[in-house]
Amino acid sequence: MKPEKPELLAPAGGMEAFIAAVENGADAVYLGARAFSARGYASNFSEKELEEAIDYAHLRGVKVYVTVNTLLKEDEIENALKLLSWLRNIGTDAIIIQDLGLVSLARKYLPDLPLHASTQMTLHNSEGVELAKTMGIERVVLSRECSLEEIIRIKEKTGTEIEVFIHGALCISYSGQCLLSSLIGGRSGNRGFCAQPCRKKYRLYCEGKQIKTTGSYLLSPKDLNTTSGLGALIEAGIESFKIEGRMKRPEYVAGVVRIYRRLIDRYIENPAEYYVSEEEQEILTQLFNRGFTNGYFFENPRWGLMSRENPHNRGVPAGTVIGYDRHSNRIRVKLSQPLRLGDGIMVENAETRPEDKGKIISSMYVGKGSVYSAGVGDTVEIPFDSRAPSGSTVYRTHDKKLMDSLKKESESGSLRAKIPVSVTTTVISGRPIGLEIRDRDANSITIESEYLVEKAEKQPTSKASIEKQLSKLGNTIFEAAEFHITMEEDVFVPVGQLNELRTKAVEQLENLRISRWKRKPLNILQVCEFGIKESVEKGSVDKEFVENAVQEAEKTVQEYLPIHPLLSVSVYSLEGLKGALEGGADRIYFGEGLFRRPEITGQEEGSAKGSEAIFEKAIAETQKAGKEIYLITPKLVKDSRMKSVEKIFSHVRKLGADGVLVSNLGTLGLAKAGKITFIADSPLNIFNSCTFAFLLQEGAQMAVISPELTLEELKCVTSHGPAECIVYGRLELMESEHCLTGGLLGNNNGQCNAPCRSGKFTLVDEKNYEFPLLMDYECRMHLLNSRSLCMLEYLPEILKSGVSSLRVETLGMDNPDEIRKVTRAYRKAIDTYLETGKKGPENCEKLGKGFTTGHYFRGVQ
């Protein structure tokens, strides 16, 4: 029994790439509008182009998914919903979406518009996928860090359609959880404007001492290539195979789609004889690579994941430098691959910056003469501005012949197989000619001619001549696969009449194939703030529902206006808890056991018995002080580790903690099902009042607003319910499945020897900013910001925004005295303002140096 054929889903950053994807065999294409797309730097599609693209695809039996997968600010929600409504009307097959608030609105007002959860939603466990299903999500793009075993388990438990990336660039951070670009330069990856600082140089330090590393691009992963394991992914029953690359050239899209189309079909046809040819692998390598990896599908790649020596396209090795002529500024190269004028090369170890190592060959010499091309074994001279040591590898990063060929073939319109149609015609004297054309998708057109068939006066028209004329579908997407002709003898039909009838029928069939996907418009009016404020037109939406929604929103606002905001402090040890309580914290978030600490060696960490004793003591001390305590659950929890979350829940029930802090949809759903009081933490990306409302309606007691919002943007959300904002601490910039220290230092016979325990590690960038590294007990890496957030001087403005709680984050702070000092400063600042209405004397300078106000005043793109 043959396995089910998965959908091949291709990227398109513009119309040329879109056509290349369709023509080279994609089953579906994903693309972005010019707003709300997670690839903001791609050219993307205008409204006119979007509709043209969707029609072009549907005519050829290809689906189109539009990405509206950024987090939305308050003033963008209305336009985003209107965009979804328009995309629904023009026949978009599905929306790839991230923002939870937009999901909830789409389900209420556009219930027939299919939604796919973007990988930006960080869905990586069964509970999260189940919750997404209840929200109306039909397909989930799982986190790239999920193994094949985990994917199969999620499919079995949830029955949800699964989409996975099979080729292209990888992010070092879990998607949807990276603030590196945001906090370094204000360009948010959650908003589609990642500047890719992970592809820059970094140095690794331990306890202030630099560690020598092979390569300096310590956060730059290789590219994903699953050709060798494609069969296992197909056998797993994954519904959609996705190629990354909306920022790539059309030729890249054409080549990669063509090869994966061929490989999928090859496996389906004969799994036992599946193979990947050297030519196919070389083309993929030539098109773009930073080195290839299977990612996390089959094992944790550890040290094999990273491309530390070069963050750019490597191409394929094309030769070796054997000399450099300083007088003519030419390198001499012994070729192992052909080179031509117009090819691009990159020279390893050239005495220049990495980004300047590349060059397009405009002239090339053999002996004293210039040449257009040179072959394997030839020695050529190529003008090159920088010296390169003998023995350096020359890489061909751009193959002009290959790219020209891919472009020409994709634009020819001859690659995609024609759609077979059956043609039925009736030719009877004295009646119109009847013609029916039916395609394989059961679309059928029946028309009649105005012309009435005549008796033949001389030579009658034959069946063969009728079939010949009606089969002339050359420039269309159809081909006549079968004919059914019923006709009288001795009749005459002019050729022009047959041609005209055929042309009209084909045109109508094309229109039918396109129009069947269009939907009847709905009136989506104004959406703003917490609920829906609309002028309800006849037939637009459920009037009673809107009235109830507005009343509920107003009631919620009245119930949750803060009177005396809390001071919450997150701590990760009993010592830190004590410091926070002594400093005046109202609420403790307790995360003992989440992170490795260098001082813990030679003992079993986190044993069940020891864990419960620690939590019991923490809860007892907090309650003795008359304060609240919530236990922190991990941001990322695979299915195999959900028992650890359930253990935390058991501590809450057994020991009497007030609740838990949840950071992903899976743990949220589990807490809701277990009737555990929970607070929704900032990794859930609360960017607007609609997302805020959704989480409160799901049962969150409070939600922690995204640290990417400005003070003004914060006000749009906090006045609608119990909200918390982070006002102090090193914000976590990313969480990665890849442990950098283990990858660099922990290779001990294939096993990591936990070098993270040997001291405190930091990454230092090219501007000498230091970013602390933490490792957790799942061997994941957490990168913290180089500067601590401090909003002490701006406490009045924060309090005026309507927040119910202010949070001090102590991640990376080991000194309980420091935690006590910071907590006390915020306690005094809050109390002073509440008592006097004025700002107190506390300021950040008294707490240390090198602080930042984060995004409270500058915001994000």
Side-chain angles (χ1 to χ4, degrees), residues 569-578 587-594 611 614-619 622 629-633 648 661:
V569 183
S570 60
V571 296
Y572 302 88
S573 67
L574 285 172
E575 296 81 8
L577 178 142
K578 184 178 180 181
R587 174 186 287 155
I588 298 293
Y589 300 134
F590 189 61
E592 171 69 41
L594 293 178
S611 170
I614 290 171
F615 280 106
E616 185 174 11
K617 188 172 183 180
I619 292 168
T622 306
I629 182 168
Y630 285 71
L631 306 186
I632 304 174
T633 60
I648 293 174
L661 193 66

PDB file of all heavy atoms in Angstrom, residues 569-578 587-594 611 614-619 622 629-633 648 661:
ATOM      1  N   VAL A 569       7.768  39.396  42.068  1.00  0.00           N
ATOM      2  CA  VAL A 569       9.198  39.139  41.851  1.00  0.00           C
ATOM      3  C   VAL A 569       9.370  37.674  41.473  1.00  0.00           C
ATOM      4  O   VAL A 569       8.911  36.772  42.200  1.00  0.00           O
ATOM      5  CB  VAL A 569      10.039  39.459  43.106  1.00  0.00           C
ATOM      6  CG1 VAL A 569      11.524  39.259  42.811  1.00  0.00           C
ATOM      7  CG2 VAL A 569       9.779  40.890  43.581  1.00  0.00           C
ATOM      8  N   SER A 570      10.012  37.429  40.343  1.00  0.00           N
ATOM      9  CA  SER A 570      10.321  36.055  39.948  1.00  0.00           C
ATOM     10  C   SER A 570      11.683  35.679  40.503  1.00  0.00           C
ATOM     11  O   SER A 570      12.657  36.426  40.337  1.00  0.00           O
ATOM     12  CB  SER A 570      10.319  35.921  38.424  1.00  0.00           C
ATOM     13  OG  SER A 570      11.285  36.777  37.842  1.00  0.00           O
ATOM     14  N   VAL A 571      11.768  34.534  41.172  1.00  0.00           N
ATOM     15  CA  VAL A 571      13.026  34.084  41.779  1.00  0.00           C
ATOM     16  C   VAL A 571      13.227  32.608  41.447  1.00  0.00           C
ATOM     17  O   VAL A 571      12.282  31.891  41.129  1.00  0.00           O
ATOM     18  CB  VAL A 571      13.033  34.300  43.301  1.00  0.00           C
ATOM     19  CG1 VAL A 571      12.950  35.775  43.639  1.00  0.00           C
ATOM     20  CG2 VAL A 571      11.894  33.525  43.967  1.00  0.00           C
ATOM     21  N   TYR A 572      14.475  32.172  41.548  1.00  0.00           N
ATOM     22  CA  TYR A 572      14.820  30.825  41.098  1.00  0.00           C
ATOM     23  C   TYR A 572      15.590  30.030  42.153  1.00  0.00           C
ATOM     24  O   TYR A 572      16.230  29.036  41.831  1.00  0.00           O
ATOM     25  CB  TYR A 572      15.603  30.924  39.777  1.00  0.00           C
ATOM     26  CG  TYR A 572      14.793  31.640  38.731  1.00  0.00           C
ATOM     27  CD1 TYR A 572      14.836  33.032  38.619  1.00  0.00           C
ATOM     28  CD2 TYR A 572      13.925  30.943  37.913  1.00  0.00           C
ATOM     29  CE1 TYR A 572      14.049  33.696  37.692  1.00  0.00           C
ATOM     30  CE2 TYR A 572      13.137  31.596  36.979  1.00  0.00           C
ATOM     31  CZ  TYR A 572      13.198  32.981  36.874  1.00  0.00           C
ATOM     32  OH  TYR A 572      12.408  33.627  35.953  1.00  0.00           O
ATOM     33  N   SER A 573      15.492  30.484  43.403  1.00  0.00           N
ATOM     34  CA  SER A 573      16.117  29.772  44.515  1.00  0.00           C
ATOM     35  C   SER A 573      15.456  30.208  45.805  1.00  0.00           C
ATOM     36  O   SER A 573      14.799  31.253  45.865  1.00  0.00           O
ATOM     37  CB  SER A 573      17.621  30.071  44.576  1.00  0.00           C
ATOM     38  OG  SER A 573      17.843  31.438  44.915  1.00  0.00           O
ATOM     39  N   LEU A 574      15.645  29.400  46.844  1.00  0.00           N
ATOM     40  CA  LEU A 574      15.110  29.780  48.152  1.00  0.00           C
ATOM     41  C   LEU A 574      15.766  31.044  48.667  1.00  0.00           C
ATOM     42  O   LEU A 574      15.119  31.878  49.317  1.00  0.00           O
ATOM     43  CB  LEU A 574      15.327  28.629  49.138  1.00  0.00           C
ATOM     44  CG  LEU A 574      14.397  27.415  48.990  1.00  0.00           C
ATOM     45  CD1 LEU A 574      14.854  26.283  49.900  1.00  0.00           C
ATOM     46  CD2 LEU A 574      12.951  27.806  49.296  1.00  0.00           C
ATOM     47  N   GLU A 575      17.057  31.200  48.364  1.00  0.00           N
ATOM     48  CA  GLU A 575      17.767  32.408  48.811  1.00  0.00           C
ATOM     49  C   GLU A 575      17.172  33.650  48.145  1.00  0.00           C
ATOM     50  O   GLU A 575      16.999  34.700  48.768  1.00  0.00           O
ATOM     51  CB  GLU A 575      19.258  32.297  48.478  1.00  0.00           C
ATOM     52  CG  GLU A 575      19.985  31.165  49.197  1.00  0.00           C
ATOM     53  CD  GLU A 575      19.798  29.807  48.538  1.00  0.00           C
ATOM     54  OE1 GLU A 575      19.218  29.757  47.425  1.00  0.00           O
ATOM     55  OE2 GLU A 575      20.211  28.800  49.141  1.00  0.00           O
ATOM     56  N   GLY A 576      16.887  33.511  46.838  1.00  0.00           N
ATOM     57  CA  GLY A 576      16.283  34.632  46.129  1.00  0.00           C
ATOM     58  C   GLY A 576      14.896  34.937  46.636  1.00  0.00           C
ATOM     59  O   GLY A 576      14.492  36.104  46.736  1.00  0.00           O
ATOM     60  N   LEU A 577      14.141  33.904  46.983  1.00  0.00           N
ATOM     61  CA  LEU A 577      12.803  34.093  47.527  1.00  0.00           C
ATOM     62  C   LEU A 577      12.866  34.880  48.837  1.00  0.00           C
ATOM     63  O   LEU A 577      12.088  35.812  49.053  1.00  0.00           O
ATOM     64  CB  LEU A 577      12.140  32.733  47.732  1.00  0.00           C
ATOM     65  CG  LEU A 577      10.737  32.731  48.344  1.00  0.00           C
ATOM     66  CD1 LEU A 577       9.867  31.659  47.694  1.00  0.00           C
ATOM     67  CD2 LEU A 577      10.784  32.482  49.850  1.00  0.00           C
ATOM     68  N   LYS A 578      13.806  34.516  49.662  1.00  0.00           N
ATOM     69  CA  LYS A 578      13.944  35.212  50.943  1.00  0.00           C
ATOM     70  C   LYS A 578      14.267  36.687  50.725  1.00  0.00           C
ATOM     71  O   LYS A 578      13.700  37.570  51.374  1.00  0.00           O
ATOM     72  CB  LYS A 578      15.037  34.548  51.774  1.00  0.00           C
ATOM     73  CG  LYS A 578      15.200  35.133  53.165  1.00  0.00           C
ATOM     74  CD  LYS A 578      16.267  34.390  53.955  1.00  0.00           C
ATOM     75  CE  LYS A 578      16.424  34.994  55.351  1.00  0.00           C
ATOM     76  NZ  LYS A 578      17.471  34.300  56.147  1.00  0.00           N
ATOM     77  N   ARG A 587       3.975  39.315  45.626  1.00  0.00           N
ATOM     78  CA  ARG A 587       3.756  38.027  44.976  1.00  0.00           C
ATOM     79  C   ARG A 587       5.099  37.470  44.520  1.00  0.00           C
ATOM     80  O   ARG A 587       5.946  38.203  44.005  1.00  0.00           O
ATOM     81  CB  ARG A 587       2.825  38.191  43.777  1.00  0.00           C
ATOM     82  CG  ARG A 587       2.642  36.935  42.950  1.00  0.00           C
ATOM     83  CD  ARG A 587       1.836  37.205  41.704  1.00  0.00           C
ATOM     84  NE  ARG A 587       0.426  37.421  42.022  1.00  0.00           N
ATOM     85  CZ  ARG A 587      -0.413  38.123  41.270  1.00  0.00           C
ATOM     86  NH1 ARG A 587       0.024  38.700  40.169  1.00  0.00           N
ATOM     87  NH2 ARG A 587      -1.680  38.259  41.622  1.00  0.00           N
ATOM     88  N   ILE A 588       5.263  36.186  44.731  1.00  0.00           N
ATOM     89  CA  ILE A 588       6.476  35.490  44.313  1.00  0.00           C
ATOM     90  C   ILE A 588       6.153  34.543  43.168  1.00  0.00           C
ATOM     91  O   ILE A 588       5.183  33.790  43.222  1.00  0.00           O
ATOM     92  CB  ILE A 588       7.079  34.671  45.481  1.00  0.00           C
ATOM     93  CG1 ILE A 588       7.493  35.592  46.641  1.00  0.00           C
ATOM     94  CG2 ILE A 588       8.253  33.827  45.001  1.00  0.00           C
ATOM     95  CD1 ILE A 588       8.652  36.520  46.319  1.00  0.00           C
ATOM     96  N   TYR A 589       6.968  34.606  42.127  1.00  0.00           N
ATOM     97  CA  TYR A 589       6.986  33.569  41.101  1.00  0.00           C
ATOM     98  C   TYR A 589       8.222  32.729  41.368  1.00  0.00           C
ATOM     99  O   TYR A 589       9.348  33.229  41.323  1.00  0.00           O
ATOM    100  CB  TYR A 589       7.057  34.160  39.696  1.00  0.00           C
ATOM    101  CG  TYR A 589       5.889  35.060  39.338  1.00  0.00           C
ATOM    102  CD1 TYR A 589       6.089  36.293  38.720  1.00  0.00           C
ATOM    103  CD2 TYR A 589       4.581  34.666  39.601  1.00  0.00           C
ATOM    104  CE1 TYR A 589       5.032  37.098  38.372  1.00  0.00           C
ATOM    105  CE2 TYR A 589       3.514  35.479  39.265  1.00  0.00           C
ATOM    106  CZ  TYR A 589       3.741  36.699  38.651  1.00  0.00           C
ATOM    107  OH  TYR A 589       2.681  37.509  38.317  1.00  0.00           O
ATOM    108  N   PHE A 590       8.004  31.440  41.640  1.00  0.00           N
ATOM    109  CA  PHE A 590       9.109  30.602  42.122  1.00  0.00           C
ATOM    110  C   PHE A 590       9.476  29.566  41.065  1.00  0.00           C
ATOM    111  O   PHE A 590       8.650  28.748  40.654  1.00  0.00           O
ATOM    112  CB  PHE A 590       8.704  29.907  43.428  1.00  0.00           C
ATOM    113  CG  PHE A 590       9.829  29.188  44.113  1.00  0.00           C
ATOM    114  CD1 PHE A 590      10.950  29.880  44.556  1.00  0.00           C
ATOM    115  CD2 PHE A 590       9.776  27.813  44.303  1.00  0.00           C
ATOM    116  CE1 PHE A 590      11.991  29.221  45.196  1.00  0.00           C
ATOM    117  CE2 PHE A 590      10.809  27.144  44.939  1.00  0.00           C
ATOM    118  CZ  PHE A 590      11.927  27.854  45.388  1.00  0.00           C
ATOM    119  N   GLY A 591      10.756  29.604  40.646  1.00  0.00           N
ATOM    120  CA  GLY A 591      11.206  28.724  39.569  1.00  0.00           C
ATOM    121  C   GLY A 591      12.399  27.870  39.928  1.00  0.00           C
ATOM    122  O   GLY A 591      13.256  27.615  39.067  1.00  0.00           O
ATOM    123  N   GLU A 592      12.476  27.437  41.170  1.00  0.00           N
ATOM    124  CA  GLU A 592      13.562  26.537  41.583  1.00  0.00           C
ATOM    125  C   GLU A 592      13.577  25.293  40.689  1.00  0.00           C
ATOM    126  O   GLU A 592      12.549  24.712  40.395  1.00  0.00           O
ATOM    127  CB  GLU A 592      13.361  26.120  43.044  1.00  0.00           C
ATOM    128  CG  GLU A 592      14.290  25.022  43.528  1.00  0.00           C
ATOM    129  CD  GLU A 592      15.739  25.446  43.654  1.00  0.00           C
ATOM    130  OE1 GLU A 592      15.970  26.575  44.136  1.00  0.00           O
ATOM    131  OE2 GLU A 592      16.624  24.652  43.286  1.00  0.00           O
ATOM    132  N   GLY A 593      14.772  24.909  40.264  1.00  0.00           N
ATOM    133  CA  GLY A 593      14.926  23.686  39.482  1.00  0.00           C
ATOM    134  C   GLY A 593      14.838  23.868  37.988  1.00  0.00           C
ATOM    135  O   GLY A 593      15.025  22.917  37.240  1.00  0.00           O
ATOM    136  N   LEU A 594      14.569  25.107  37.514  1.00  0.00           N
ATOM    137  CA  LEU A 594      14.464  25.310  36.071  1.00  0.00           C
ATOM    138  C   LEU A 594      15.828  25.440  35.399  1.00  0.00           C
ATOM    139  O   LEU A 594      15.994  25.059  34.248  1.00  0.00           O
ATOM    140  CB  LEU A 594      13.629  26.562  35.770  1.00  0.00           C
ATOM    141  CG  LEU A 594      12.146  26.494  36.140  1.00  0.00           C
ATOM    142  CD1 LEU A 594      11.467  27.819  35.842  1.00  0.00           C
ATOM    143  CD2 LEU A 594      11.455  25.362  35.395  1.00  0.00           C
ATOM    144  N   SER A 611      12.942  18.105  45.468  1.00  0.00           N
ATOM    145  CA  SER A 611      12.133  19.136  44.831  1.00  0.00           C
ATOM    146  C   SER A 611      10.924  19.481  45.695  1.00  0.00           C
ATOM    147  O   SER A 611      10.641  20.652  45.943  1.00  0.00           O
ATOM    148  CB  SER A 611      11.684  18.651  43.454  1.00  0.00           C
ATOM    149  OG  SER A 611      10.719  19.515  42.919  1.00  0.00           O
ATOM    150  N   ILE A 614      11.863  21.493  48.765  1.00  0.00           N
ATOM    151  CA  ILE A 614      12.193  22.884  48.445  1.00  0.00           C
ATOM    152  C   ILE A 614      10.917  23.689  48.217  1.00  0.00           C
ATOM    153  O   ILE A 614      10.753  24.797  48.738  1.00  0.00           O
ATOM    154  CB  ILE A 614      13.114  22.944  47.208  1.00  0.00           C
ATOM    155  CG1 ILE A 614      14.497  22.398  47.559  1.00  0.00           C
ATOM    156  CG2 ILE A 614      13.222  24.381  46.688  1.00  0.00           C
ATOM    157  CD1 ILE A 614      15.416  22.216  46.367  1.00  0.00           C
ATOM    158  N   PHE A 615       9.996  23.115  47.432  1.00  0.00           N
ATOM    159  CA  PHE A 615       8.750  23.830  47.154  1.00  0.00           C
ATOM    160  C   PHE A 615       7.927  23.996  48.440  1.00  0.00           C
ATOM    161  O   PHE A 615       7.296  25.039  48.653  1.00  0.00           O
ATOM    162  CB  PHE A 615       7.937  23.089  46.096  1.00  0.00           C
ATOM    163  CG  PHE A 615       8.420  23.333  44.702  1.00  0.00           C
ATOM    164  CD1 PHE A 615       9.121  22.361  43.996  1.00  0.00           C
ATOM    165  CD2 PHE A 615       8.171  24.543  44.080  1.00  0.00           C
ATOM    166  CE1 PHE A 615       9.561  22.594  42.711  1.00  0.00           C
ATOM    167  CE2 PHE A 615       8.608  24.786  42.787  1.00  0.00           C
ATOM    168  CZ  PHE A 615       9.312  23.807  42.099  1.00  0.00           C
ATOM    169  N   GLU A 616       7.931  22.991  49.272  1.00  0.00           N
ATOM    170  CA  GLU A 616       7.182  23.082  50.527  1.00  0.00           C
ATOM    171  C   GLU A 616       7.710  24.214  51.387  1.00  0.00           C
ATOM    172  O   GLU A 616       6.942  25.002  51.958  1.00  0.00           O
ATOM    173  CB  GLU A 616       7.280  21.746  51.277  1.00  0.00           C
ATOM    174  CG  GLU A 616       6.441  21.697  52.540  1.00  0.00           C
ATOM    175  CD  GLU A 616       6.438  20.338  53.186  1.00  0.00           C
ATOM    176  OE1 GLU A 616       7.252  19.467  52.775  1.00  0.00           O
ATOM    177  OE2 GLU A 616       5.633  20.126  54.117  1.00  0.00           O
ATOM    178  N   LYS A 617       9.030  24.319  51.452  1.00  0.00           N
ATOM    179  CA  LYS A 617       9.634  25.386  52.248  1.00  0.00           C
ATOM    180  C   LYS A 617       9.336  26.757  51.639  1.00  0.00           C
ATOM    181  O   LYS A 617       9.014  27.712  52.369  1.00  0.00           O
ATOM    182  CB  LYS A 617      11.143  25.166  52.346  1.00  0.00           C
ATOM    183  CG  LYS A 617      11.838  26.118  53.303  1.00  0.00           C
ATOM    184  CD  LYS A 617      13.289  25.717  53.509  1.00  0.00           C
ATOM    185  CE  LYS A 617      13.955  26.637  54.537  1.00  0.00           C
ATOM    186  NZ  LYS A 617      15.376  26.272  54.751  1.00  0.00           N
ATOM    187  N   ALA A 618       9.437  26.853  50.302  1.00  0.00           N
ATOM    188  CA  ALA A 618       9.189  28.133  49.628  1.00  0.00           C
ATOM    189  C   ALA A 618       7.756  28.594  49.850  1.00  0.00           C
ATOM    190  O   ALA A 618       7.502  29.773  50.162  1.00  0.00           O
ATOM    191  CB  ALA A 618       9.467  27.986  48.131  1.00  0.00           C
ATOM    192  N   ILE A 619       6.821  27.672  49.715  1.00  0.00           N
ATOM    193  CA  ILE A 619       5.407  28.026  49.872  1.00  0.00           C
ATOM    194  C   ILE A 619       5.117  28.398  51.321  1.00  0.00           C
ATOM    195  O   ILE A 619       4.413  29.381  51.601  1.00  0.00           O
ATOM    196  CB  ILE A 619       4.523  26.855  49.402  1.00  0.00           C
ATOM    197  CG1 ILE A 619       4.666  26.682  47.888  1.00  0.00           C
ATOM    198  CG2 ILE A 619       3.056  27.080  49.782  1.00  0.00           C
ATOM    199  CD1 ILE A 619       4.081  25.394  47.343  1.00  0.00           C
ATOM    200  N   THR A 622       6.553  31.891  52.129  1.00  0.00           N
ATOM    201  CA  THR A 622       5.804  32.969  51.464  1.00  0.00           C
ATOM    202  C   THR A 622       4.460  33.184  52.157  1.00  0.00           C
ATOM    203  O   THR A 622       4.050  34.327  52.407  1.00  0.00           O
ATOM    204  CB  THR A 622       5.582  32.627  49.976  1.00  0.00           C
ATOM    205  OG1 THR A 622       6.840  32.339  49.364  1.00  0.00           O
ATOM    206  CG2 THR A 622       4.922  33.785  49.250  1.00  0.00           C
ATOM    207  N   ILE A 629       2.196  33.100  46.200  1.00  0.00           N
ATOM    208  CA  ILE A 629       3.278  32.411  45.505  1.00  0.00           C
ATOM    209  C   ILE A 629       2.709  31.582  44.351  1.00  0.00           C
ATOM    210  O   ILE A 629       1.776  30.809  44.516  1.00  0.00           O
ATOM    211  CB  ILE A 629       4.122  31.522  46.448  1.00  0.00           C
ATOM    212  CG1 ILE A 629       5.274  30.864  45.663  1.00  0.00           C
ATOM    213  CG2 ILE A 629       3.270  30.510  47.172  1.00  0.00           C
ATOM    214  CD1 ILE A 629       6.322  30.209  46.555  1.00  0.00           C
ATOM    215  N   TYR A 630       3.282  31.803  43.178  1.00  0.00           N
ATOM    216  CA  TYR A 630       2.935  31.059  41.973  1.00  0.00           C
ATOM    217  C   TYR A 630       4.175  30.312  41.508  1.00  0.00           C
ATOM    218  O   TYR A 630       5.287  30.862  41.525  1.00  0.00           O
ATOM    219  CB  TYR A 630       2.459  32.008  40.860  1.00  0.00           C
ATOM    220  CG  TYR A 630       1.071  32.548  41.076  1.00  0.00           C
ATOM    221  CD1 TYR A 630       0.810  33.482  42.083  1.00  0.00           C
ATOM    222  CD2 TYR A 630       0.010  32.125  40.284  1.00  0.00           C
ATOM    223  CE1 TYR A 630      -0.461  33.978  42.289  1.00  0.00           C
ATOM    224  CE2 TYR A 630      -1.273  32.612  40.484  1.00  0.00           C
ATOM    225  CZ  TYR A 630      -1.509  33.543  41.489  1.00  0.00           C
ATOM    226  OH  TYR A 630      -2.778  34.026  41.694  1.00  0.00           O
ATOM    227  N   LEU A 631       3.999  29.082  41.112  1.00  0.00           N
ATOM    228  CA  LEU A 631       5.124  28.285  40.645  1.00  0.00           C
ATOM    229  C   LEU A 631       5.294  28.467  39.137  1.00  0.00           C
ATOM    230  O   LEU A 631       4.325  28.420  38.379  1.00  0.00           O
ATOM    231  CB  LEU A 631       4.906  26.808  40.979  1.00  0.00           C
ATOM    232  CG  LEU A 631       4.606  26.501  42.446  1.00  0.00           C
ATOM    233  CD1 LEU A 631       4.548  24.987  42.669  1.00  0.00           C
ATOM    234  CD2 LEU A 631       5.635  27.142  43.377  1.00  0.00           C
ATOM    235  N   ILE A 632       6.541  28.676  38.714  1.00  0.00           N
ATOM    236  CA  ILE A 632       6.834  28.924  37.299  1.00  0.00           C
ATOM    237  C   ILE A 632       6.918  27.595  36.563  1.00  0.00           C
ATOM    238  O   ILE A 632       7.636  26.685  36.980  1.00  0.00           O
ATOM    239  CB  ILE A 632       8.162  29.694  37.139  1.00  0.00           C
ATOM    240  CG1 ILE A 632       8.138  31.000  37.937  1.00  0.00           C
ATOM    241  CG2 ILE A 632       8.426  29.976  35.663  1.00  0.00           C
ATOM    242  CD1 ILE A 632       9.476  31.743  37.936  1.00  0.00           C
ATOM    243  N   THR A 633       6.194  27.488  35.473  1.00  0.00           N
ATOM    244  CA  THR A 633       6.330  26.320  34.606  1.00  0.00           C
ATOM    245  C   THR A 633       7.253  26.671  33.446  1.00  0.00           C
ATOM    246  O   THR A 633       7.362  27.845  33.066  1.00  0.00           O
ATOM    247  CB  THR A 633       4.959  25.865  34.060  1.00  0.00           C
ATOM    248  OG1 THR A 633       4.374  26.931  33.305  1.00  0.00           O
ATOM    249  CG2 THR A 633       4.030  25.472  35.179  1.00  0.00           C
ATOM    250  N   ILE A 648       4.522  19.894  39.046  1.00  0.00           N
ATOM    251  CA  ILE A 648       4.396  21.253  39.591  1.00  0.00           C
ATOM    252  C   ILE A 648       2.957  21.516  40.007  1.00  0.00           C
ATOM    253  O   ILE A 648       2.684  22.088  41.072  1.00  0.00           O
ATOM    254  CB  ILE A 648       4.875  22.285  38.554  1.00  0.00           C
ATOM    255  CG1 ILE A 648       6.388  22.148  38.316  1.00  0.00           C
ATOM    256  CG2 ILE A 648       4.544  23.706  39.009  1.00  0.00           C
ATOM    257  CD1 ILE A 648       6.923  23.027  37.204  1.00  0.00           C
ATOM    258  N   LEU A 661       2.469  30.014  36.820  1.00  0.00           N
ATOM    259  CA  LEU A 661       2.756  30.928  35.731  1.00  0.00           C
ATOM    260  C   LEU A 661       2.963  30.079  34.475  1.00  0.00           C
ATOM    261  O   LEU A 661       3.809  29.178  34.479  1.00  0.00           O
ATOM    262  CB  LEU A 661       4.027  31.725  36.055  1.00  0.00           C
ATOM    263  CG  LEU A 661       4.373  32.952  35.218  1.00  0.00           C
ATOM    264  CD1 LEU A 661       3.332  34.047  35.417  1.00  0.00           C
ATOM    265  CD2 LEU A 661       5.750  33.479  35.613  1.00  0.00           C
TER     266      LEU A 661
END
